[in-house]
Amino acid sequence: MWLTAIVFYLLMGIQAPAYPALITRMYQPELRGRLMGYVRVAMGAIMIPLAYLVGSWTDKSGPSGPLITAAITGVISILFLARVKEIALPTTVSARKSSFKEQLKLVRNHRELVVFFAATTLTGFGNILASPLYQIIQVRELQLNNIEIALARISYYVCLLVAYFVVGWVIDRFSAKQTLVYGLAAFAIVPLLYGIFGNYPAVIIGSGIQGIGDAIWDIGILAYIFRVVPGREAVVFGLHLMLFGIRGSIAPLISTGLSDYLPISGLLIAAAICGCIGIVIFLLQKDNNEMTESLPRHM
C-alpha cells in the first residue's frame, strides 16, 4: 500500500509541471484564462454527483470496483491526451533544459518571480497553517453535525465553480496580477473570520471565500507565470510546487502542535497576518517585466 502511495505522488509530481507547459501549447493566449476556467467548471460539475455515486458504490460492494474503474478511465484519458494537437510556439520561445542552479538563477533574474514566490509562500503558509484549525473549530468547539458540515462544503463548492467561471474571463479581460491579489486576500480573510467570530455563519462564509481563493490560485498563478516567464512555465511552476510541498509539510504540524498550548484564535490571527504580509509584498512590486500585461486584449 505504501509503495502504491509513493508511486501515485511521484506521478502527480511528474505531471504537475508538465501541465502549464502543455496549456501554453494547447490554448490560445487571449482565451487561455477562460478555457482553463470552463474546463474546471465542467470537472467540478462532474465530480460533485460522482463523489456521491462512488461513495454509495463503495459502501455496497467495496473499493475494488471503483478503483478498477478509475484505472480504466485513467488509461482512456491518456489515449485522448495523446491525440491533442499542440499549437506552434513563437520561434523566440524554445524549450531548454536547466539544472536546479540555473532554475534559481532564472528566479533571481526576474524580480517579479522573487516577489511572487515570497508572497505566495507567506500567504500559502498562513492558509495551510489555518486549515487544520478550521476542522478543530467545526468539530470540537462548535460541535457541528454532519448536515451542518455538508452545508459548509456546499458553500465551498458552489463558490468554487462560480469563481472558476468568472476568474478565467477576468484574467483574460484585465490582469493576472490584479486577479491574483484577490486570491491572496481570500486566504487572509478566512482565518480572520474564524479567529474573530468563530461561529457557524463564519464557517459558511469562510467556506465560500475559501472556494473563491482556491479557484483564483489555481488559474491565477498559472496565468501569472505564463505572462512573466513565457517559455519557462514548467520550470517556475515546478519550483512553486516544491515550495508548496515544503510549507504544506511544515505548517499543519506547527498549527496542530501549538493548538494545545496557544489559543486557536491567536494562531488564526497569526495566519491572517502572514497572508496580509504576502499581499503587501505582492502589491509593492512593479510590473516592468510582466511582458504581456500591457498588450491589448482581444475580445
Side-chain angles (χ1 to χ4, degrees), residues 73-105:
T73 55
V75 172
I76 294 174
S77 298
I78 294 172
L79 296 176
F80 275 110
L81 189 63
R83 300 178 61 86
V84 171
K85 294 183 179 180
E86 302 177 5
I87 61 175
L89 289 174
T91 55
T92 56
V93 177
S94 59
R96 290 178 291 174
K97 298 180 179 179
S98 58
S99 65
F100 184 70
K101 182 178 180 180
E102 291 171 334
Q103 294 174 19
L104 295 180
K105 183 178 179 181

Side-chain angles (χ1 to χ4, degrees), residues 46-189:
I46 294 173
M47 286 174 62
I48 293 174
L50 190 61
Y52 175 80
L53 294 174
V54 171
S56 300
W57 185 6
T58 304
D59 287 340
K60 293 179 179 178
S61 58
S64 298
L67 288 174
I68 293 173
T69 303
I72 293 173
T73 55
V75 172
I76 294 174
S77 298
I78 294 172
L79 296 176
F80 275 110
L81 189 63
R83 300 178 61 86
V84 171
K85 294 183 179 180
E86 302 177 5
I87 61 175
L89 289 174
T91 55
T92 56
V93 177
S94 59
R96 290 178 291 174
K97 298 180 179 179
S98 58
S99 65
F100 184 70
K101 182 178 180 180
E102 291 171 334
Q103 294 174 19
L104 295 180
K105 183 178 179 181
L106 171 67
V107 174
R108 289 197 301 267
N109 291 339
H110 288 78
R111 182 176 179 274
E112 294 92 339
L113 289 181
V114 176
V115 175
F116 165 78
F117 283 132
T120 54
T121 297
L122 278 169
T123 306
F125 177 81
N127 178 57
I128 300 174
L129 185 76
S131 292
L133 303 179
Y134 300 155
Q135 280 72 44
I136 293 175
I137 290 176
Q138 291 175 18
V139 176
R140 190 172 72 186
E141 297 192 0
L142 297 179
Q143 297 181 348
L144 302 182
N145 57 41
N146 291 334
I147 294 177
E148 289 171 329
I149 294 175
L151 289 175
R153 297 306 295 169
I154 290 172
S155 173
Y156 171 85
Y157 282 117
V158 168
C159 290
L160 180 75
L161 291 181
V162 172
Y164 271 141
F165 184 82
V166 174
V167 168
W169 179 85
V170 171
I171 287 173
D172 289 338
R173 179 64 180 84
F174 298 103
S175 164
K177 178 185 175 181
Q178 293 174 6
T179 307
L180 190 53
V181 169
Y182 292 104
L184 297 173
F187 286 169
I189 292 172

Side-chain angles (χ1 to χ4, degrees), residues 176-240:
K177 178 185 175 181
Q178 293 174 6
T179 307
L180 190 53
V181 169
Y182 292 104
L184 297 173
F187 286 169
I189 292 172
V190 178
L192 275 179
L193 286 173
Y194 274 85
I196 294 175
F197 300 102
N199 52 22
Y200 186 58
V203 172
I204 295 294
I205 297 172
S207 296
I209 296 176
Q210 185 76 29
I212 295 171
D214 284 344
I216 294 175
W217 272 56
D218 188 5
I219 301 179
I221 286 177
L222 282 172
Y224 186 77
I225 292 174
F226 290 153
R227 294 174 181 178
V228 174
V229 281
R232 307 306 302 276
E233 302 90 353
V235 169
V236 175
F237 194 67
L239 290 173
H240 167 70

